[in-house]
Amino acid sequence: MPSIVFVSPKGGAGKTTSALILATQIAKQGIGVTIIDADPNHPIKLWAQGDVPPKNLAIVSDVTEANIADQIAEAAGKTPFVVVDLEGTAATIVAYAISEADFVIIPTQGSQLDAEQASKALRLIRAHERGIQKHKPAYRLPYSVLFTRTSPAITSRDTKHVRNSFKNADVTCFQTELNERAAFKAMFSFRQPLETLDPKEVSNIPQAIKNAEEYTREVIAAIRSAKAVEPAGKAKQ
Ligand SMILES: Nc1ncnc2c1ncn2[C@@H]1O[C@H](COP(=O)(O)OP(=O)(O)O)[C@@H](O)[C@H]1O
Ligand SMILES: [Mg+2]
């Protein structure tokens, strides 16, 4: 508990990267995390096979449409946090994962086209909510859009515009953006967390760590405040 599910139908939106950053940052604080690696290419399982065995981090990659809900529930009984990385395209497994989620993060790059893909993820959340609202009218599944791969130097006009349209549509977005950073890519190339990357090989590691920490703080604060307003009783199917 809680289970955080990354959802976006678009490949390349930054799901795997932002899921791994969140999980490794929580684990760094000495808190146990399970990552459910539901992408058939298993990018996170491969990452975990690097030279430095990840601490406080369990990876579950034996995941199918049939067992994902059980895998999430089982992991939630074992570690304080569960992070779910999905492939994005197969709709049914995404719906099952959402049904076990306590919080959904929708990563998106800052352009209009990307935002339209993010809206598809929002529709899945709304559909899930409608199902539960039939017997629990006050139920909401907390979520937030996360802007990824944005420039650390400037906010592009595109991103500003997309942020505004989400705001006008009452769509919650994290203030913190995950910037485009070589270190975030390098985590995968070197199969390491940010903290052990070699500054001779990768530029601006401290800036990337600062960005990762701010993002993690905001996610955890959002989960906490969502829990605080949750109607009494857990609203799961
Ligand atoms: N914040 C970031 N900075 C730099 N590269 C990124 C960032 N987010 C994603 N990428 C790169 O973009 C590509 C797609 O990201 P990924 O996390 O695999 O997306 P998804 O899981 O949604 O398909 C990968 O090559 C990844 O290294
Ligand atoms: Mg992915």
Side-chain angles (χ1 to χ4, degrees):
M1 273 291 290
S3 302
I4 305 150
V5 178
F6 286 76
V7 177
S8 161
K10 186 169 182 276
K15 289 180 291 297
T16 302
T17 305
S18 35
L20 184 64
I21 292 173
L22 179 68
T24 49
Q25 290 300 313
I26 295 173
K28 183 172 92 173
Q29 299 172 26
I31 302 168
V33 185
T34 305
I35 305 184
I36 308 280
D37 180 359
D39 181 334
N41 293 316
H42 296 315
I44 294 189
K45 183 184 174 192
L46 286 173
W47 171 84
Q49 288 164 0
D51 295 339
V52 191
K55 267 194 208 142
N56 306 320
L57 210 59
I59 318 270
V60 173
S61 59
D62 166 27
V63 187
T64 61
E65 196 176 286
N67 75 9
I68 190 161
D70 290 340
Q71 293 281 38
I72 296 172
E74 195 185 320
K78 287 184 184 160
T79 51
F81 282 86
V82 180
V83 168
V84 183
D85 181 37
L86 294 156
E87 183 191 12
T89 45
T92 320
I93 194 167
V94 177
Y96 284 131
I98 286 178
S99 75
E100 284 296 322
D102 297 292
F103 199 95
V104 173
I105 297 180
I106 306 171
T108 181
Q109 292 175 48
S111 80
Q112 188 57 39
L113 274 178
D114 292 302
E116 280 157 22
Q117 294 296 314
S119 302
K120 285 190 190 163
L122 284 165
R123 281 201 287 278
L124 282 177
I125 293 174
R126 304 281 188 239
H128 161 75
E129 286 180 335
R130 277 198 302 277
I132 294 197
Q133 282 164 354
K134 284 182 187 150
H135 46 94
K136 256 186 185 297
Y139 174 77
R140 289 277 187 285
L141 176 57
Y143 71 87
S144 191
V145 170
L146 169 71
F147 287 98
T148 61
R149 308 195 71 176
T150 55
S151 158
I154 49 145
T155 307
S156 80
R157 251 188 235 174
D158 260 2
T159 307
K160 261 189 206 151
H161 174 75
V162 171
R163 255 193 197 280
N164 261 330
S165 15
F166 277 142
K167 197 173 168 201
N168 294 336
D170 271 335
V171 172
T172 319
C173 300
F174 287 125
Q175 201 56 45
T176 313
E177 301 178 357
L178 273 185
N179 297 138
E180 174 80 25
R181 291 269 179 206
F184 294 152
K185 252 190 212 307
M187 290 178 83
F188 289 92
S189 340
F190 294 99
R191 296 183 176 174
Q192 284 179 33
L194 292 169
E195 287 72 15
T196 55
L197 290 172
D198 181 352
K200 286 191 220 90
E201 313 238 31
V202 187
S203 59
N204 294 327
I205 298 170
Q207 288 88 334
I209 292 176
K210 184 165 175 270
N211 189 187
E213 288 174 345
E214 274 172 9
Y215 152 66
T216 303
R217 256 198 303 277
E218 192 176 356
V219 172
I220 289 176
I223 293 170
R224 287 224 176 99
S225 65
K227 266 182 103 68
V229 296
E230 196 176 286
K234 189 114 179 71
K236 287 213 169 141
Q237 271 167 329

